[in-house]
């Protein structure tokens, strides 16, 4: 088993993800949360840590809608986050992991109907979750 280095940046990010398991987040969200939790980690360290965790496939990075900001979500161990679709709520940032059978059927229909083969890595749909539509 590969041993992971747990820097202060990793601890802050993992703590945030544990408290907000279905929430996508950006650097600004992490920094605000750190201030609320009375924690201090340099902004550059947070960026480096997010980059390393993304390369290690512990996080998935994506751009949401028409923004240049990168958002992140947890790629939980044991889940094949890099091989299935995600639905992201535009209002609250909640991330829903779409079931493999549902996603496979959807992707097959897209390919058959449009001749378009979707690559799964970091693929996601956006819209509004049940709570935000209410």
């Amino acid at each position: 088993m590969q041993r992971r280095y747990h820097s202060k940046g990793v601890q802050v990010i993992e703590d945030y993800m544990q408290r907000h398991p279905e929430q996508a987040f950006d650097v600004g969200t992490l920094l605000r949360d750190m201030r609320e939790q009375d924690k201090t980690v340099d902004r550059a360290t947070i960026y480096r840590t997010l980059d390393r965790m993304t390369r290690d496939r512990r996080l998935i990075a994506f751009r949401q809608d028409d923004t240049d900001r990168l958002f992140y979500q947890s790629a939980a161990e044991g889940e094949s986050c890099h091989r299935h679709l995600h639905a992201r709520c535009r209002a609250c940032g909640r991330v829903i992991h779409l079931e493999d059978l549902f996603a496979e059927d959807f992707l097959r229909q897209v390919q058959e109907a449009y001749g378009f083969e979707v690559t799964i890595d970091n693929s996601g749909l956006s819209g509004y979750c049940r709570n935000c539509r209410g």
Side-chain angles (χ1 to χ4, degrees):
M1 183 172 167
Q2 179 182 346
R3 184 179 163 158
R4 291 189 176 154
Y5 176 68
H6 276 333
S7 67
K8 191 173 180 182
V10 170
Q11 290 171 353
V12 165
I13 293 166
E14 286 181 345
D15 176 61
Y16 179 85
M17 290 187 308
Q18 192 169 41
R19 288 182 289 115
H20 306 278
E22 296 181 338
Q23 193 76 33
F25 59 92
D26 64 356
V27 171
T29 302
L30 279 176
L31 293 173
R32 281 189 300 280
D33 185 70
M34 284 171 33
R35 280 192 298 274
E36 291 170 8
Q37 301 291 320
D38 261 348
K39 297 179 181 177
T40 56
V41 178
D42 181 68
R43 179 183 290 262
T45 299
I46 292 295
Y47 276 106
R48 281 193 307 271
T49 303
L50 289 168
D51 185 52
R52 185 174 67 239
M53 291 176 76
T54 301
R55 281 193 321 266
D56 292 346
R57 293 187 167 251
R58 294 170 65 191
L59 291 175
I60 294 173
F62 61 93
R63 296 193 192 287
Q64 193 161 359
D65 302 324
D66 58 351
T67 174
D68 287 336
R69 291 181 303 167
L70 272 176
F71 287 82
Y72 301 87
Q73 73 181 52
S74 174
E77 286 191 48
E79 293 185 32
S80 56
C81 277
H82 295 275
R83 293 190 305 261
H84 67 239
L85 292 174
H86 300 91
R88 295 180 187 92
C89 180
R90 290 179 173 191
C92 71
R94 180 176 179 218
V95 177
I96 301 167
H97 300 263
L98 300 179
E99 296 178 26
D100 290 340
L101 291 177
F102 170 81
E104 285 176 17
D105 188 46
F106 172 74
L107 296 173
R108 183 178 39 73
Q109 288 182 31
V110 168
Q111 186 169 6
E112 289 173 3
Y114 302 100
F116 185 82
E117 184 174 338
V118 178
T119 57
I120 299 297
D121 200 30
N122 298 341
S123 291
L125 306 171
S126 66
Y128 297 93
C129 72
R130 181 178 296 138
N131 294 337
C132 293
R133 280 195 324 264

